Amino acid sequence: MSASQSTSSSDPASNPKVSPDDATYYTWSSFFSILTGNASTREREAYFRVKDTINAEADCKRCVRDTKWLFANSPIIRFMKHNIDLLGPSDGSASITPERVICQKCDAKQSGGFDPEYGILICANQMRNWGHTEDTIAHEMVHAYDHLRFKMDAVHNLRHAACTEIRASTLSGECRWGREFFTRGQWGVTQQMQECVRRRAALSVAARPGCRDAAHANQVVNEVWDSCFNDTRPFDEIYK
């Protein structure tokens, strides 16, 4: 059976009659189709959906292991945890611990999220390595800090959403030059970090219910840019 024939069948991830071996063959045949540039957008999405389903348990175990290691050894994670603990109630209910970092497979194209009640979500199937996990946890911990320190409403207030996204992308290290250059293929030199922060903040704001379109998202980001980009609390300066 050719790659094109195999990828035209129904998605095995959603078909209970397809065996794990069939799903694996589908994954490999789609993989080679992608390599040769013959896969459609639908086929590419189906390949990664099946791959994530097959690897979900292993991805989550790796995420949990990396999370525990980072809370014990990562300077930025330890620093953020300490400062979040200083802001939270004495009973520790707002503290971000490894137990409040939930690793799971996500269907959406996202790395993670923060909820004041439940803690931090890490999309295990999106994590490339422990460094990516560190950046993602640090990003969400900035949101946790901002929620406690500034009482932000990042769901309904677009200016609040833009500000915390600017700060999270700036302070977590996810927009540093090396990450942009080697991982995302952004090869500019001048103002590269700032452009990354702007891009990621605008994308996040654009996904909020109150945002009209991309132009509106960019306008909101520009309105709060100077004050939020230059606010490095709880750091004295941009950490990395």
Side-chain angles (χ1 to χ4, degrees):
M1 180 183 295
S2 68
S4 60
Q5 289 175 316
S6 65
T7 54
S8 64
S9 61
S10 61
D11 179 5
S14 59
N15 186 352
K17 296 182 180 180
V18 177
S19 70
D21 288 340
D22 292 332
T24 303
Y25 177 77
Y26 178 95
T27 301
W28 277 105
S29 61
S30 297
F31 173 73
F32 287 116
S33 183
I34 291 171
L35 280 183
T36 57
N38 295 320
S40 66
T41 300
R42 183 185 64 81
E43 289 168 341
R44 289 174 59 88
E45 291 175 350
Y47 162 74
F48 287 110
R49 188 163 60 247
V50 174
K51 177 178 177 292
D52 288 345
T53 299
I54 293 172
N55 295 333
E57 183 177 359
D59 287 342
C60 288
K61 286 182 178 179
R62 174 171 54 85
C63 174
V64 170
R65 183 182 67 247
D66 288 349
T67 295
K68 290 180 178 178
W69 188 91
L70 289 166
F71 270 82
N73 298 283
S74 166
I76 190 172
I77 301 300
R78 289 167 60 89
F79 179 80
M80 286 303 305
K81 181 183 184 307
H82 172 70
N83 281 275
I84 290 170
D85 289 346
L86 291 177
L87 294 175
S90 58
D91 62 2
S93 57
S95 179
I96 301 295
T97 64
E99 291 71 31
R100 293 195 72 207
V101 177
I102 308 303
C103 296
Q104 68 179 43
K105 182 178 81 71
C106 301
D107 295 326
K109 298 291 185 181
Q110 66 182 86
S111 296
F114 167 70
D115 184 278
E117 182 176 354
Y118 298 105
I120 290 173
L121 165 69
I122 299 297
C123 295
N125 53 313
Q126 302 292 341
M127 295 298 102
R128 296 181 296 273
N129 48 48
W130 72 266
H132 187 193
T133 304
E134 180 183 44
D135 288 349
T136 304
I137 294 176
H139 178 111
E140 302 306 333
M141 291 182 92
V142 173
H143 290 325
Y145 177 91
D146 286 355
H147 172 74
L148 293 170
R149 177 67 177 79
F150 305 112
K151 311 302 180 186
M152 285 187 167
D153 178 7
V155 176
H156 303 101
N157 189 311
L158 294 183
R159 290 171 66 90
H160 287 186
C163 191
T164 192
E165 288 297 337
I166 289 168
R167 283 173 38 76
S169 290
T170 301
L171 300 175
S172 66
E174 65 186 4
C175 278
R176 60 188 178 276
W177 185 85
R179 182 73 73 199
E180 280 285 275
F181 185 90
F182 292 108
T183 302
R184 303 188 184 106
Q186 300 294 328
W187 298 326
V189 176
T190 304
Q191 301 290 308
Q192 186 176 53
M193 187 188 76
Q194 289 89 331
E195 290 304 315
C196 169
V197 173
R198 284 183 182 275
R199 182 179 71 249
R200 295 174 69 85
L203 286 172
S204 181
V205 171
R208 312 283 167 151
C211 186
R212 296 188 298 271
D213 50 32
H216 186 203
N218 286 321
Q219 175 188 334
V220 175
V221 169
N222 288 334
E223 288 173 356
V224 301
W225 176 262
D226 287 340
S227 60
C228 297
F229 180 76
N230 292 303
D231 183 355
T232 62
R233 288 176 288 181
F235 300 93
D236 292 329
E237 58 187 13
I238 296 175
Y239 175 69
K240 62 178 181 176

